[in-house]
Amino acid sequence: TIRVEMKGRIALFTLDNPPVNQLSDHFVREMAQALEEAFRDGAVDAVVLTGSGKSFIAGADITQIKEIRDREKILGLLRENNRFLKGIETGPKAVVAAINGSCLGGGLELAMACHYRVAAAGVELGQPEVQIGLIPGAGGTQRLPRLIGLPNAIDMITAGKPIAAEKALQRTLVDEVVEPARLVDAAVAAAGRFASGQLNLKVRTTRLRHDRLPSAAEKKALLDFTLLMTAEKAKGYLAPYKAIEAFSRGLGYDVDADLEIEAGLFADCLLSDVARNLIGIFLNTRAAGRLPRIEGLKPAPIRKVAMLGGGVMGSGIVHLLLAGGFEAVLWDINPAAVEKGVSAIRATFDYHLKNRKMTPEA
């Protein structure tokens, strides 16, 4: 899954784990082995990581963990991941991320453990774990605030929406944004600046950064406000609260202790019914169009559509269905609502008749 090419004294690793370079056990093991060899090789001054296809790394393979119900097993896997990322972050040579495509979840956590990040224009970066009931589990809650500040990190992690490379540059999540054709060259040039001493490895190590972190009083005020706002829009969900707790209990000087707190909170999420249901919806939605039993079958034409609810939206949808040539059924638990809905549909067609946009026959 790792293709290695030398660019002078810089080792270029192309990550190739189809279809979207998801982090999986074998992929991480091969990456760790390749990095270890590069760190030992006297002919290698620095390493550049880039992805194949349209992805840098589009998150972790959720199917490998979704059925785990043993808390200690979850924590063991997370600790192993954290050791891998710490090995990059505190390694003897610079590692530069050349972000060619989607950089999400574990992919962004890997990029943040690198010492420099170059992104292709237009690519997306994000921590979307909250959308499947989880929080980042490989340092996202601890590294992201160090790079972009706590307010922006709260926004990205509790909402789970990715941002474009250009915004990532404004927020200092990435160091350069270049056209895709120039990506590898720009990353190799950055790696060369580490080798020549123009860039300092320790200064660029994310876990050692504290300049963007708020004071204790500022952190408490910001998180108290965030908790208040979250309570209004995240009822029934667990992950946003666990993310806020990770910020609250972490972001100290002992990063390894903070990562252990994050791992425990991730396990709380993964073992919850909320995450199990959201992960199920995510995987089933993704698989719905790829079921083996429907291969080669043509969908049957839709002739009849039922609309449940005769309110303004329901009657409007029925109008569009009828105008589109479908047979439509309007249903509501209240007969008066059905009558009102049908009247609204007739009035809409009457309006078209008056404006001569339809004929009475139509």
Side-chain angles (χ1 to χ4, degrees), residues 29-344:
R29 278 197 304 272
E30 289 182 18
M31 209 187 311
Q33 183 182 343
L35 283 164
E36 194 177 317
E37 290 173 9
F39 289 162
R40 286 199 308 263
D41 191 339
V44 174
D45 286 341
V47 176
V48 171
L49 303 179
T50 195
S52 58
K54 296 180 179 179
S55 299
F56 176 69
I57 294 174
D61 185 353
I62 199 68
T63 62
Q64 292 194 343
I65 62 168
K66 72 183 181 74
E67 298 299 340
I68 301 177
R69 311 318 292 165
D70 182 337
R71 186 181 182 85
E72 284 307 311
K73 186 173 182 181
I74 297 167
L75 293 176
L77 291 171
L78 295 174
R79 287 169 187 146
E80 191 176 327
N81 271 345
N82 282 328
R83 280 193 294 272
F84 164 62
L85 294 182
K86 183 179 181 180
I88 294 174
E89 207 171 23
T90 62
K93 297 175 183 178
V95 180
V96 175
I99 302 167
N100 61 297
S102 299
C103 182
L104 304 172
L108 182 55
E109 288 172 308
L110 172 66
M112 290 191 292
C114 295
H115 304 98
Y116 197 91
R117 287 157 291 280
V118 185
V123 304
E124 291 197 325
L125 304 92
Q127 300 276 191
E129 290 89 347
V130 71
Q131 295 178 4
I132 54 171
L134 302 174
I135 65 170
T141 65
Q142 303 306 307
R143 289 189 180 93
L144 191 60
R146 283 173 161 79
L147 289 173
I148 68 173
L150 185 55
N152 285 331
I154 289 171
D155 178 47
M156 283 185 69
I157 289 176
T158 60
K161 292 180 180 176
I163 60 173
E166 291 74 14
K167 181 172 276 191
L169 179 64
Q170 291 172 5
R171 292 182 175 182
T172 67
L173 179 55
V174 300
D175 302 289
E176 292 181 55
V177 174
V178 299
E179 289 305 310
R182 291 189 51 238
L183 178 67
V184 170
D185 289 343
V188 168
R193 291 199 292 278
F194 281 99
S196 67
Q198 289 175 265
L199 290 173
N200 183 286
L201 203 60
K202 284 194 173 179
V203 171
R204 300 288 315 176
T205 300
T206 305
R207 65 169 46 222
L208 301 179
R209 294 276 303 274
H210 297 95
D211 53 295
R212 299 295 301 270
L213 295 181
S215 67
E218 289 170 332
K219 182 170 89 165
K220 185 179 185 308
L222 179 58
L223 292 177
D224 284 349
F225 175 74
T226 303
L227 204 55
L228 192 66
M229 298 301 292
T230 301
E232 292 182 9
K233 56 187 179 183
K235 289 177 183 175
Y237 291 91
L238 179 67
Y241 298 100
K242 292 294 181 180
I244 293 167
E245 188 177 345
F247 297 136
S248 177
R249 294 172 58 194
L251 303 181
Y253 285 92
D254 187 347
V255 178
D256 292 317
D258 294 343
L259 293 175
E260 189 69 17
I261 290 168
E262 180 194 75
L265 296 170
F266 178 94
D268 291 343
C269 292
L270 184 60
L271 293 171
S272 71
D273 289 339
V274 178
R276 177 177 279 197
N277 292 334
L278 289 173
I279 290 169
I281 291 169
F282 170 74
L283 293 174
N284 288 336
T285 302
R286 194 172 64 175
R290 299 199 297 264
L291 296 172
R293 65 176 180 270
I294 66 171
E295 281 183 19
L297 292 179
K298 291 183 179 178
I302 297 170
R303 297 188 184 91
K304 192 171 188 175
V305 183
M307 181 68 221
L308 307 184
V312 174
M313 186 179 290
S315 60
I317 291 171
V318 170
H319 163 252
L320 291 173
L321 289 167
L322 293 171
F326 295 95
E327 185 181 346
V329 177
L330 178 61
W331 183 92
D332 200 294
I333 55 172
N334 182 351
V338 175
E339 288 179 23
K340 189 175 179 181
V342 170
S343 297

